[in-house]
Amino acid sequence: MTTITGFQQRVYKLLQKVPKGKVTTYAILAKALNCGSSQAVGGALKRNPFAPEVPCHRVVKSDRSLGGFYGQIEGPQIENKKALLLAEGVKFDADNKVMANCLWQFK
DNA sequence: ACCGTGACGGCGA
DNA sequence: TTCGCCGCCACGG
C-alpha cells in the first residue's frame, strides 16, 4: 500500500524540477519545502514509489557525497547512482563528491 | 496516541 | 581538520 503523504508528494514534485546534469541536496530540498529537517526528505526519497519518474539519484548530501540510493547508503546501488550521474554529465571529485558547480538551487 | 528510527545537517571538542 | 553529539521533521510499528 503506497501511502503517499502530502509532504512526500511535495518532495517528488520539487525533485522533478531538477534538470538533467544537475544535482541537489537534501538540505536544499528541505529548505525549498520550508522544512527544517533534511532527514524527513531523505525518508521520503527512501520510500520513493516512483523509481525512474522521480530522479532520486540527483539528490546528494550537503557535503556533496553521494548519500543513499534505493534504500541503501552504500553498496552496488550507490555505484550505479554515480554511473547514472556521470552519464548525465555530472562530474565528480576524487573523493566521490559532486562538483559544487553541478549543484542545483531552487531559485 | 506514543516511542523509536532515519538515504541528514550543523556545531562543538 | 576529523570525529562525535544533538537537533530537526516525518513516518512506521
Side-chain angles (χ1 to χ4, degrees), chain A residues 10-56:
Chain A
R10 216 165 304 170
V11 175
Y12 306 139
K13 194 100 183 230
L14 191 61
L15 184 51
Q16 290 180 66
K17 239 173 97 265
V18 181
K20 187 162 78 71
K22 290 283 180 179
V23 292
T24 189
T25 72
Y26 299 98
I28 293 173
L29 283 170
K31 280 256 186 141
L33 293 170
N34 204 26
C35 175
S37 178
S38 48
Q39 247 183 328
V41 177
L45 292 175
K46 175 184 180 183
R47 314 180 62 212
N48 175 23
F50 311 95
E53 302 181 39
V54 176
C56 40

Side-chain angles (χ1 to χ4, degrees), chain A residues 50-92:
Chain A
F50 311 95
E53 302 181 39
V54 176
C56 40
H57 60 272
R58 292 181 194 159
V59 185
V60 297
K61 293 184 39 170
S62 70
D63 64 342
R64 280 173 294 159
S65 60
L66 282 175
F69 194 50
Y70 275 91
Q72 303 177 198
I73 60 176
E74 56 179 26
Q77 296 287 20
I78 304 303
E79 297 294 308
N80 185 35
K81 178 176 183 179
K82 183 182 176 188
L84 270 169
L85 292 174
L86 284 171
E88 293 187 350
V90 178
K91 292 176 183 146
F92 281 79

